Structures are given as structure tokens and as C-alpha cells.
Amino acid sequence: MNLKEFAARIGLSQTTVSRAMSGYPEVRPETRRRVLEAAEKLGYRPNISAQRLATGRAGAIGMVFQGGGRFGPHSSEFMGGLSTRLQEDGIDILVSTVETEAEEAAAYRRLAASKRVDAVVVHTPACADARIALLQTLALPFIVHGRSTAERPFAFLDIDNFGAIATAAGYLADLGHRRIALINGDTTSTYAQDRSSGYRTTLEARGLTLDPALVGHGEFTDETGFRLMQAFLALPAPPTAVIAGSMMSALGAMRAIRIAGLAVGADVSLIAHDDVFPYLSPDNLVPSVTTTQSPIRAAGERIGDMVLRLLQGEAPEALQEVWPVDFRIRGSTGPTPA
């Protein structure tokens, strides 16, 4: 059925129905729910071309990924949450993959010029990220998953990466550990810098020496965790504890500890950051893994909310959130071995 027939069927004007399905803020929430429920029940789908002409919107949000390494399980889980939220408003996600920074900048320019998306989500920001300045110049609405420095305010959602690692390092120090290793991400990224700062600040506050040999960087994969942990354990004075930046790298670290003939939790304590994957639970590992925890899917859903509010006219500086991180103590941590 067309818009006229559907509107008549549910007893509302065509304008109200169109605005309700397009997410206009002036439509009352109960009216919007009524329209969406009726559309689902009756199988009504708006004419996308007509809707775009009427609203001036593309009905899509864009994401650009540089390099295959940035599109892994973390990205997939985040996009699952983002897509779930946007689909409630009939909004699609347009994904582009590129290989270089120049190609990435060109992709954003094309998106802005073609008007194929209403906004973009920027992920894994650097401490000073050129993408933010570019998007502000292009006047293309955007929200950042993470934080960065910029001359003008922008919308973002981040977690307290500093606090997460500071909490983990402090807990291990309280257990008596003096050589605590860190498996971190790419140091050009803000989250990795924040985690490094949390680690360094906590060690200094506890009077512990920061040994550069106990800090490793790389993609959050099982292989990276394995190789870095092997290198830590080969040191003349190996660590008695390690903080892994993700559950993926924690798996590799646990494997390296076991191959060395050591026991996780007894000989080497381990804490991992958990983005809450449905297929990898820290409770089901042996031993269960102590974690700092913040669900990345929930972050995707929240950013979906925030980008819609941005498109409805809310100021970027009103859309800035930093989420606290939970700390869950389990079986992979214990006192330093005698």
C-alpha cells in the first residue's frame, strides 16, 4: 500500500505518518510508536526515494575503515549494536574500506559531496585526528567513538580507558605484584595513550619502577597476545602479572603462559579488558578471567541514539559521554607467587 492508503487505514494524516517514520522530534513518542507498530503489522514500507525528497535526508549513516586490521570482531560487535538501533528508524549503514589515509580522506569527501549519508561515525581516533578537522570543514555531521583533541567541540562517546587500566594495575599492586606487564594497542590511538597513562600513573603512585620491556603494542589478536607474552616471560626478570587490552589478546597470553609450564592465576596473574563478545565469556575460561568490562555493542546502540539526536539539531557539545568501566574479579588473579 502507498502512504495515502496507509495513513487512511490508521486514521492519521500523511504528513504525520511521514514525519513519524522519518524520526522528526516534533512527533509525540506515543504517535511514533503507534505508526511504527501499525507499519510492522500491515507490512507498510515507505517509498525511500519519495521519503528522501520529502525530508532531504539520505536515510543512511556512513563508516569508513582503513585497512583490514581495523575491521575485526570489535568492529563487528560495535556495528551490530549500531545497526540494531538505526534499523528501528529505518536507517541503513554504508560501509567503505580503504587502504591509506589519503583514500580515507577522499572517501569522506565523496560521502559529503554525494549526500549519500546523513552523518558518519568515526572510530579509533588518534590523539590529534585529521578526520575530525576534515569533517568539520566539509560540514558533514559526525560522532566519534572515542576521544581526540580538536579546535571545535564534537560529539563523542568513549569509555574511561585511563580508569580501567589504573584500576587493574592498582588491584595487582595491592596483591603484591611488582612486575606488571601491559599488552596495549596502537599508541597513535587515544584509547591506547589513555591506557598507557593509567598504567604509568598507577605504577608511579605505588612506587613501582616502569620497565619499558614489560609494555607491548599491537592489534588485539590471539597471535599478538601470544608473541608479546612469550617475550615478557623470556626476560631475565619476567612479570608476575599482565594486563591484556582485550579478551582476544588475553587468550594468546594465557596460551603462552601455559606453554611455559606456568599456571594462570597462580604463577602469573592476568586481567583483560572485556568488550563483551557473545562467543567469548571470561566466566567460561579456565580459570575464569578477571576483567575490566564495558560492552561494545551497547556503545554502538548508544551512538545510534546520539547520531539521531545530532541530526535532529542537538549541539555536538551536548552529545559527549564517557562511560565508567566495571571491574569483575575472577579466578585469573591472585597474590604474587612466593
Side-chain angles (χ1 to χ4, degrees):
M1 66 181 69
N2 60 31
L3 174 62
K4 182 178 179 181
E5 294 167 337
F6 176 64
R9 188 81 173 265
I10 64 174
L12 293 172
S13 70
Q14 295 179 50
T15 300
T16 298
V17 169
S18 179
R19 287 178 175 271
M21 299 201 73
S22 298
Y24 276 73
E26 59 267 28
V27 177
R28 291 183 301 175
E30 57 268 28
T31 302
R32 180 171 174 274
R33 282 194 298 271
R34 174 186 168 190
V35 170
L36 294 176
E37 289 171 2
E40 184 68 25
K41 180 179 179 180
L42 299 174
Y44 170 72
R45 295 292 181 271
N47 182 302
I48 298 301
S49 297
Q51 191 176 52
R52 289 176 180 174
L53 286 173
T55 64
R57 293 184 183 177
I61 302 299
M63 290 191 73
V64 180
F65 289 91
Q66 182 193 144
R70 290 193 179 183
F71 194 88
H74 299 84
S75 300
S76 299
E77 193 67 11
F78 172 81
M79 289 185 64
L82 178 64
S83 176
T84 296
R85 175 60 188 90
L86 294 180
Q87 283 300 311
E88 294 176 9
D89 284 67
I91 295 175
D92 298 319
I93 301 176
L94 177 63
V95 177
S96 299
T97 57
V98 297
E99 294 301 324
T100 66
E101 290 184 4
E103 291 177 353
E104 188 173 26
Y108 284 125
R109 293 182 186 279
R110 284 196 304 273
L111 289 174
S114 66
K115 301 188 183 301
R116 288 185 295 165
V117 298
D118 299 309
V120 295
V121 175
V122 177
H123 58 91
T124 322
C127 298
D129 202 303
R131 294 174 294 179
I132 293 173
L134 173 63
L135 291 168
Q136 289 177 333
T137 300
L138 295 173
L140 180 59
F142 68 95
I143 186 165
V144 178
H145 183 209
R147 279 177 283 179
S148 182
T149 58
E151 293 183 2
R152 287 186 283 158
F154 58 90
F156 67 80
L157 171 66
D158 197 8
I159 65 171
D160 182 9
N161 284 291
F162 178 100
I165 302 305
T167 297
Y171 177 72
L172 292 170
D174 288 343
L175 289 173
H177 295 279
R178 295 296 175 261
R179 288 186 61 77
I180 302 169
L182 174 66
I183 298 174
N184 203 356
D186 183 351
T187 53
T188 62
S189 300
T190 306
Y191 81 87
Q193 288 284 1
D194 287 346
R195 292 181 180 187
S196 178
S197 295
Y199 171 77
R200 183 177 60 254
T201 299
T202 302
L203 293 189
E204 291 174 354
R206 301 304 178 94
L208 302 180
T209 301
L210 193 157
D211 184 351
L214 291 180
V215 180
H217 303 276
E219 297 287 346
F220 286 144
T221 64
D222 173 278
E223 180 66 16
T224 298
F226 177 74
R227 296 301 176 194
L228 288 176
M229 195 68 222
Q230 275 195 321
F232 295 152
L233 294 174
L235 293 171
T240 60
V242 60
I243 302 170
S246 79
M247 287 298 298
M248 306 303 292
S249 52
L251 288 177
M254 294 174 77
R255 185 158 52 93
I257 292 168
R258 289 185 176 121
I259 287 176
L262 302 172
V264 176
D267 299 309
V268 182
S269 288
L270 180 143
I271 298 176
H273 181 69
D274 180 20
D275 285 307
V276 192
F277 299 118
Y279 46 82
L280 181 58
S281 170
D283 287 305
N284 296 334
L285 297 175
V286 180
S288 59
V289 176
T290 298
T291 60
T292 57
Q293 181 175 298
S294 182
I296 196 168
R297 177 173 285 265
E301 292 177 358
R302 182 58 175 167
I303 281 185
D305 275 326
M306 294 170 74
V307 76
L308 293 176
R309 289 166 57 192
L310 184 68
L311 292 175
Q312 290 168 1
E314 288 199 39
E317 54 266 36
L319 297 168
Q320 298 177 338
E321 297 183 7
V322 179
W323 286 3
V325 176
D326 293 334
F327 186 52
R328 308 287 178 89
I329 299 172
R330 300 184 179 89
S332 66
T333 48
T336 183

